[in-house]
Amino acid sequence: MAEALTLKVIEALPKDIGRGYARLDPADMAKLGLAIGDTLKLSGKKGSCVAKLMPTYPDLRGKAIVQLDGLSRRNASLNLDEKVSIEAMLCKPATRVTLMPISITPNPRDLDYIGSLLDGLAVQQGDLVRAHLFGSRSADFKVESTQPNAPVLINPTTTLVIGTPVDSKKAEHSQQRLSYENVGGLKGQVRRIREMIELPLRYPEVFDRLGIDAPKGVLLSGPPGCGKTLIARIIAQETDAQFFSISGPEIVHKFYGESEAHLRKIFDEAGRKGPSIIFLDEIDSIAPHRDKVVGDVEKRVVAQLLALMDGLKGRGKVIVIAATNLPNAIDPALRRPGRFDREINIPIPDREGRREIIEIHSTGMPLNADVDLNLLADVTHGFVGADLEALCREAAMSALRRLLPEIDFNSADLPYQRLAELTVTLDDFRAALCEVSPSAIRELFVDIPDVRWEDVGGMDSIRQRLIESVQWPIKYPELYQQAGVKPPKGLLLVGPPGVGKTLIAKAVANESGVNVISVKGPALMSRYVGDSEQGVRELFHKARQASPCIIFLDEVDSVVPSRGEGSTDSHVAERVLSQFLSEMDGLEELKGVFVLGATNRVDLIDPAMLRPGRFDDIIELGLPDEAAKQQILAVHLRNKPLAAAIDVEAIALRCAQASGAELAAVCNRAALMALRRAVQQSEDSALPQAQTVLVEQADFDRVITDMFADEYYQ
């Protein structure tokens, strides 16, 4: 038999949670003389567990590591980065396994379903196992006994028995059990937080040897729903430290001095039971700027918190984690080394992060073969973790609605056979995308009309320039980086009314698949000094959070007019213009945000907005030529009931100076004339049957004569 290997433990893949896999380098598998699917015994300093062997992915090979999920690490009493001894072990098929429910107590009729989820799992007495139910729900069990009394494999012939459930307190604690695999898209941030918290708690001698004090605090900031509280909960469960969780409003009491006494009591208790972690959620509610609050209670609480974190009396082995989505609202005295030694921003996840999060929340879902997680990650720009969890939940609800007609609500039994066949399809996720929007721009979210490029006629060259400016930087960022080219920040569409500027913007927004914020000039203007500029700042801040994002400024001349033109005593327009100039090309770089403007009076726009770096490209749209007019007419006539003798070329020739909007009006008015004729015939006829609507050449001739009688069109 091959000798045992000693490898370092790292976190598992999100899709491996609860599946009992140990992923090894194929070279290490060869050293052990094992193949994929064989069983292993992993022994740490305090315990051991059994797992099934799977290979690691190529990016993790050659590093002497083994990937174990949180349940396996807990069964073997292992922490991340610890060494574990691995050896081959033969597991016999189990004839009987007794499971003790921890989180939920299933009905006996559920055992077949749960057994199918646990099929192929290697277990031993005392192990914790998890069955992923529908969606992100799961059921945890403890293996009370096995027959034979040795490490075994659960298979279809195994008899599962539900034992006596544990008490409610233990059940509640176990139900909240999480691990680092439950965090998606934040590997860098989690690693930095672990450095801050796990190293001082587990290896304090390292800091003594270096002659430095260990870090004592970390501030987590980021938009709501990005995972700040989740990370704190996971750190509490992954470390052996005492954990004290405090939400901001819990501190404040109505009696004088009670709030400060409550804080002192928590820090004293944490110091006595150290090493400890104190988690302050929504810290901006108890530690605001002292020069901006009116009440004395908040000022005293801030002063007490400052003294406890870095006062005359040392904190001892107490680490403070705080979370907020308003870091600038916190008193500056807290944001210095010695109190919060490190500030970590939890960003909105990128494409790979979104894919990991969707994979985590869809672990228990019976996904159909047409569901492509990469596609879902591509179309969920700006979604935070909470949004993606809601997306998976709504998709599951959409699938469940198909089952509702078959459910007898007077019966306690669900149609299990039908439930087993139920799958979540890509159409369910598409329906869920209509229900869930990015929380970062929810108040600014606009429903883009379904306008495609084929709905825009006669603008092929302009279409190509827009695709290069908007879609290519999103689709091929690595090529831009390789070429050393910076993507454009803005593009201005210029032309007379009715040539299709807004229509093109709708098509760009729809085809690019990114978030769109539409800005109306008057909505930014406020009667209060400073409110308009703050609105512009918040607009760009939210666009950066939800990047890649398009900001569409229709009638941009009303938003950024030339300085000195039509100025008022308050100079609101000039201040708004200055804010736009600094946001688009100031000290803070604008990344992932594209500004698309449209105007028919480019002469009214301030010249500073028209230079490269702000509006990098100015596209002038003129009146369509003959070929373009025929394409536009074809677009607007394709869904209308036309007579066989319609001459589109003749219609285009007669509309000499017409814009795209006027050509659309010609088509609509001609169809309306045909509708009137059909209604009149129906009313005159003795028979009540409806007449057929048919648009004829004469209808177009009459409409053109009426519309273009003016000498401007001749």
Side-chain angles (χ1 to χ4, degrees):
M1 181 179 290
E3 295 183 1
L5 287 177
T6 301
L7 303 175
K8 186 174 76 171
V9 178
I10 68 168
E11 63 269 19
L13 300 173
K15 64 180 180 181
D16 289 347
I17 299 174
R19 301 177 73 178
Y21 288 162
R23 289 190 178 270
L24 269 68
D25 187 335
D28 294 329
M29 293 167 56
K31 292 178 183 177
L32 291 170
L34 297 175
I36 296 174
D38 290 344
T39 50
L40 302 171
K41 181 179 181 181
L42 300 101
S43 305
K45 294 180 180 178
K46 300 178 182 177
S48 64
C49 69
V50 289
K52 293 186 75 172
L53 180 59
M54 295 294 285
T56 57
Y57 284 91
D59 57 329
L60 291 175
R61 293 176 184 174
K63 298 183 179 181
I65 52 95
V66 56
Q67 290 181 281
L68 290 177
D69 69 344
L71 277 178
S72 298
R73 296 200 302 270
R74 190 178 178 194
N75 291 334
S77 300
L78 288 167
N79 291 318
L80 289 178
D81 299 328
E82 288 186 353
K83 298 290 185 179
V84 61
S85 176
I86 302 175
E87 57 185 336
M89 168 170 279
L90 180 63
C91 291
K92 299 179 180 179
T95 58
R96 179 186 177 94
V97 174
T98 304
L99 301 175
M100 181 173 63
I102 295 178
S103 55
I104 62 172
T105 304
N107 292 324
R109 65 186 180 87
D110 299 334
L111 290 183
D112 288 341
Y113 180 60
I114 292 175
S116 66
L117 299 176
L118 300 179
D119 187 20
L121 196 65
V123 296
Q124 61 184 1
Q125 186 176 353
D127 276 0
L128 288 174
V129 297
R130 176 170 296 169
H132 288 288
L133 304 179
F134 202 72
S136 57
R137 294 179 62 246
S138 59
D140 289 351
F141 302 92
K142 185 174 182 180
V143 179
E144 232 177 14
S145 63
T146 63
Q147 288 183 6
N149 188 14
V152 293
L153 273 174
I154 298 176
N155 59 30
T157 63
T158 302
T159 302
L160 293 182
V161 180
I162 299 297
T164 306
V166 298
D167 59 73
S168 58
K169 289 184 180 179
K170 288 184 179 178
E172 182 181 357
H173 175 74
S174 178
Q175 195 171 11
Q176 300 172 351
R177 186 77 188 178
L178 298 167
S179 62
Y180 286 122
E181 289 84 10
N182 294 100
V183 182
L186 298 173
K187 283 187 169 52
Q189 288 78 10
V190 170
R191 178 180 52 78
R192 294 175 65 196
I193 295 168
R194 286 182 57 211
E195 288 174 2
M196 291 280 297
I197 294 167
E198 290 191 10
L199 279 177
L201 294 180
R202 291 166 59 185
Y203 308 110
E205 64 274 6
V206 174
F207 295 92
D208 295 337
R209 177 70 181 86
L210 294 173
I212 59 173
D213 291 329
K216 294 292 183 70
V218 58
L219 177 65
L220 305 178
S221 63
C226 63
K228 303 183 294 294
T229 308
L230 175 68
I231 289 174
R233 288 171 58 195
I234 289 173
I235 289 171
Q237 295 179 5
E238 286 277 357
T239 58
D240 296 328
Q242 296 289 327
F243 191 78
F244 299 86
S245 178
I246 310 164
S247 64
E250 290 178 1
I251 297 293
V252 181
H253 290 258
K254 61 180 179 179
F255 297 114
Y256 190 88
E258 285 273 333
S259 305
E260 303 91 285
H262 192 172
L263 263 180
R264 288 196 299 271
K265 179 182 176 182
I266 292 170
F267 273 81
D268 288 343
E269 185 179 359
R272 289 197 310 272
K273 295 182 178 179
S276 304
I277 296 173
I278 298 177
F279 176 56
L280 297 169
D281 204 2
E282 305 298 341
I283 191 174
D284 53 278
S285 63
I286 61 169
H289 274 275
R290 282 173 288 179
D291 57 349
K292 293 183 180 179
V293 294
V294 179
D296 289 335
V297 176
E298 291 85 354
K299 295 179 181 179
R300 295 198 312 270
V301 168
V302 174
Q304 182 66 71
L305 191 58
L306 294 173
L308 290 170
M309 291 188 69
D310 191 25
L312 291 174
K313 184 180 178 182
R315 257 192 282 172
K317 292 185 178 181
V318 177
I319 294 175
V320 180
I321 307 175
T324 180
N325 58 340
L326 298 170
N328 294 327
I330 301 174
D331 193 86
L334 276 170
R335 301 177 67 182
R336 71 154 176 84
R339 289 173 179 140
F340 288 121
D341 296 277
R342 186 174 287 180
E343 294 186 14
I344 297 178
N345 180 49
I346 309 297
I348 290 178
D350 58 9
R351 180 191 176 282
E352 289 303 318
R354 292 194 297 270
R355 192 195 185 288
E356 287 183 19
I357 295 169
I358 295 173
E359 194 172 41
I360 290 169
H361 290 298
S362 62
T363 300
M365 286 186 179
L367 298 179
N368 199 33
D370 66 341
V371 176
D372 185 359
L373 299 187
N374 292 317
L375 176 63
L376 294 176
D378 287 334
V379 299
T380 49
H381 300 290
F383 281 61
V384 295
D387 298 328
L388 295 171
E389 182 182 11
L391 178 72
C392 295
R393 183 171 60 248
E394 288 295 332
M397 291 301 297
S398 176
L400 194 58
R401 290 188 194 105
R402 297 197 297 272
L403 185 64
L404 286 179
E406 303 177 28
I407 296 178
D408 181 9
F409 289 96
N410 295 322
S411 172
D413 294 333
L414 281 172
Y416 256 64
Q417 186 62 33
R418 182 68 182 88
L419 188 63
E421 297 170 358
L422 187 64
T423 59
V424 181
T425 65
L426 188 60
D427 288 337
D428 294 324
F429 278 99
R430 288 197 178 105
L433 281 169
C434 299
E435 301 288 335
V436 182
S437 58
S439 58
I441 59 168
R442 190 156 289 162
E443 65 273 20
L444 301 172
F445 188 75
V446 291
D447 189 12
I448 302 300
D450 190 16
V451 178
R452 317 294 297 184
W453 280 124
E454 54 264 25
D455 300 322
V456 181
M459 298 185 185
D460 294 337
S461 60
I462 295 171
R463 166 186 171 179
Q464 185 59 34
R465 290 172 68 182
L466 286 167
I467 290 175
E468 292 175 6
S469 300
V470 181
Q471 293 181 226
W472 283 8
I474 298 168
K475 197 172 182 181
Y476 310 109
E478 65 283 351
L479 296 181
Y480 275 78
Q481 187 175 4
Q482 183 180 346
V485 177
K486 289 187 177 180
K489 294 181 182 177
L491 186 144
L492 183 63
L493 301 174
V494 179
V499 295
K501 301 184 295 296
T502 307
L503 182 69
I504 289 176
K506 291 178 182 178
V508 169
N510 202 353
E511 291 281 357
S512 59
V514 302
N515 297 310
V516 179
I517 299 175
S518 179
V519 181
K520 302 173 182 66
L524 286 175
M525 301 302 172
S526 172
R527 60 180 175 174
Y528 299 108
V529 176
D531 267 12
S532 302
E533 302 90 289
Q534 183 180 359
V536 176
R537 286 196 301 271
E538 290 180 355
L539 169 70
F540 278 87
H541 175 66
K542 291 183 182 296
R544 286 187 182 95
Q545 284 188 331
S547 64
C549 182
I550 294 174
I551 298 177
F552 176 52
L553 302 171
D554 205 1
E555 304 299 336
V556 68
D557 52 280
S558 65
V559 183
V560 286
S562 294
R563 282 169 278 202
E565 296 290 334
S567 177
T568 61
D569 291 339
S570 61
H571 298 282
V572 176
E574 294 184 6
R575 295 201 307 272
V576 169
L577 169 64
S578 300
Q579 189 68 44
F580 263 102
L581 295 176
S582 60
E583 291 286 353
M584 288 189 69
D585 191 26
L587 285 176
E588 186 180 2
E589 189 174 357
L590 191 66
K591 288 184 178 180
V593 179
F594 186 83
V595 182
L596 183 61
T599 182
N600 54 2
R601 290 296 304 274
V602 69
D603 55 302
L604 297 181
I605 300 176
D606 193 87
M609 283 291 293
L610 302 177
R611 71 159 176 81
R614 292 186 176 120
F615 282 128
D616 295 271
D617 201 358
I618 299 176
I619 298 179
E620 295 188 8
L621 306 180
L623 295 174
D625 56 17
E626 294 301 321
K629 281 190 287 188
Q630 292 183 32
Q631 293 179 20
I632 295 170
L633 287 170
V635 168
H636 292 291
L637 292 175
R638 63 189 176 195
N639 293 323
K640 291 181 172 58
L642 301 177
I646 297 296
D647 189 352
V648 176
E649 186 176 351
I651 297 172
L653 283 172
R654 291 193 61 188
C655 302
Q657 298 292 322
S659 66
E662 288 162 340
L663 292 172
V666 167
C667 299
N668 282 330
R669 290 188 185 183
L672 186 58
M673 290 183 68
L675 177 66
R676 288 176 188 155
R677 185 169 59 251
V679 171
Q680 187 64 38
Q681 291 174 358
S682 179
E683 290 178 349
D684 294 343
S685 175
L687 298 175
Q689 65 204 28
Q691 301 295 321
T692 303
V693 179
L694 192 63
V695 186
E696 299 174 354
Q697 184 73 34
D699 298 322
F700 288 100
D701 294 339
R702 184 175 174 184
V703 168
I704 293 170
T705 301
D706 292 342
M707 284 186 62
F708 303 134
D710 193 287
E711 61 181 6
Y712 171 76
Y713 295 102
Q714 304 303 320

